[in-house]
Amino acid sequence: MILFVIAALISYLVKGLCGFANTLVFSSILSFSVDNIAISPVDLILGFPANVVLTWRNRRKLKWKIWAPVAILVLLGSIPGIFLLQKGGAKLIKVLFGAAVIVIGIEMLYHEYSREKTNKAGAPEKTRGDKILLTLIGPISGVLCGLYGVAALLAVYMRRVTDNDSSFKANMCAVLVTENIFRIMVYWATGILSLQSVRQAVLLAPAMLAGLWFGIRCSDRLNESAVKKVIIIMLLLSGASLIAANLS
């Protein structure tokens, strides 16, 4: 239980800072000793109120034309992801999760360095996403959400279609609130979500709220780019370690 408390504190500190990546951190810490099918429902219950808080806090930046189409595609992709979580082998899921963490981490790191170069050159920071990118990323993000609760790939798209961090957090978390409600219902119907998972999430709620509050407070004071790079590097290392541990 102590490991769960530590994971909740750290992952929701990251959530408060960045608006996402809490599940990547939470699952990366716990996956070495706990199966993903036991991690995902707990993180889902913890993540739902955090997403509601961040959506409400940044509600003035919500644009339904941005988040609604993404939410629909993510919901469609969640269905096969949930099926894989229920039927897949524990070791295979952990290896796939480790690979997903590495791929997403590399893209996130590349995007941070590209954004810095763009800013130094004086060019506009935002790169507009197109329909092809949305069509590809939406369902794949849904599969990752259904399987692991991971929305980092979705964040890649959202970074390209929002103007600033407040807009990103508002529209990103609006998609996640919609996806969370859907996944809670399906997890419960399929037996993935149990009363034990709910009780465990309730016990972890104070740690989640403390981490989220501290992350939000720090987000206005710390160098966000530097924080993200440290988080990404830690995720890359954990992804590689997770693969190695489950292939041996």
Side-chain angles (χ1 to χ4, degrees):
M1 189 63 182
I2 294 176
L3 186 60
F4 272 86
V5 172
I6 293 171
L9 273 169
I10 296 173
S11 60
Y12 285 90
L13 173 100
V14 172
K15 177 80 169 178
L17 283 170
C18 307
F20 75 105
N22 55 293
T23 297
L24 276 175
V25 177
F26 191 77
S27 298
S28 296
I29 293 172
L30 295 174
S31 287
F32 291 96
S33 57
V34 184
D35 289 342
N36 285 84
I37 198 166
I39 299 170
S40 292
V42 174
D43 183 61
L44 173 60
I45 300 299
L46 281 178
F48 178 65
N51 288 322
V52 171
V53 168
L54 288 175
T55 303
W56 178 256
R57 191 170 184 268
N58 299 282
R59 62 191 179 280
R60 291 182 179 85
K61 295 291 184 178
L62 275 173
K63 293 182 180 178
W64 70 269
K65 289 184 179 180
I66 292 178
W67 70 265
V70 180
I72 292 170
L73 289 173
V74 168
L75 292 183
L76 291 174
S78 292
I79 298 170
I82 292 169
F83 176 79
L84 287 172
L85 177 64
Q86 190 178 30
K87 301 297 182 182
K91 279 199 170 185
L92 174 61
I93 288 177
K94 288 184 179 183
V95 170
L96 291 175
F97 177 72
V101 168
I102 291 172
V103 171
I104 293 168
I106 290 171
E107 201 289 333
M108 290 165 67
L109 195 61
Y110 172 78
H111 180 64
E112 282 302 309
Y113 280 110
S114 297
R115 188 175 67 167
E116 287 180 1
K117 289 180 181 178
T118 301
N119 289 342
K120 287 178 182 178
E125 179 180 330
K126 180 178 59 176
T127 303
R128 283 286 174 187
D130 55 26
K131 292 182 179 179
I132 296 175
L133 184 64
L134 172 59
T135 304
L136 289 172
I137 284 183
I140 296 172
S141 297
V143 172
L144 289 174
C145 283
L147 190 52
Y148 309 116
V150 171
L153 185 59
L154 174 60
V156 172
Y157 174 78
M158 280 296 184
R159 281 290 179 193
R160 285 159 169 76
V161 295
T162 52
D163 297 306
N164 50 50
D165 282 341
S166 181
S167 177
F168 168 79
K169 288 178 181 179
N171 291 282
M172 176 79 176
C173 290
V175 174
L176 293 178
V177 167
T178 306
E179 186 274 340
N180 287 171
I181 293 171
F182 174 78
R183 194 150 51 97
I184 286 171
M185 293 188 296
V186 178
Y187 272 20
W188 185 263
T190 56
I192 295 174
L193 178 62
S194 63
L195 287 175
Q196 182 181 353
S197 301
V198 175
R199 283 195 294 267
Q200 194 168 10
V202 169
L203 291 174
L204 292 172
M208 178 274 288
L209 291 171
L212 184 67
W213 177 84
F214 192 63
I216 291 172
R217 297 281 292 180
C218 290
S219 63
D220 296 328
R221 294 174 173 81
L222 298 179
N223 184 316
E224 186 180 1
S225 180
V227 171
K228 284 182 182 177
K229 286 174 187 173
V230 172
I231 292 169
I232 292 167
I233 291 170
M234 290 172 62
L235 289 172
L236 288 171
L237 293 173
S238 67
S241 299
L242 193 58
I243 291 173
N246 284 278
L247 286 179
S248 59

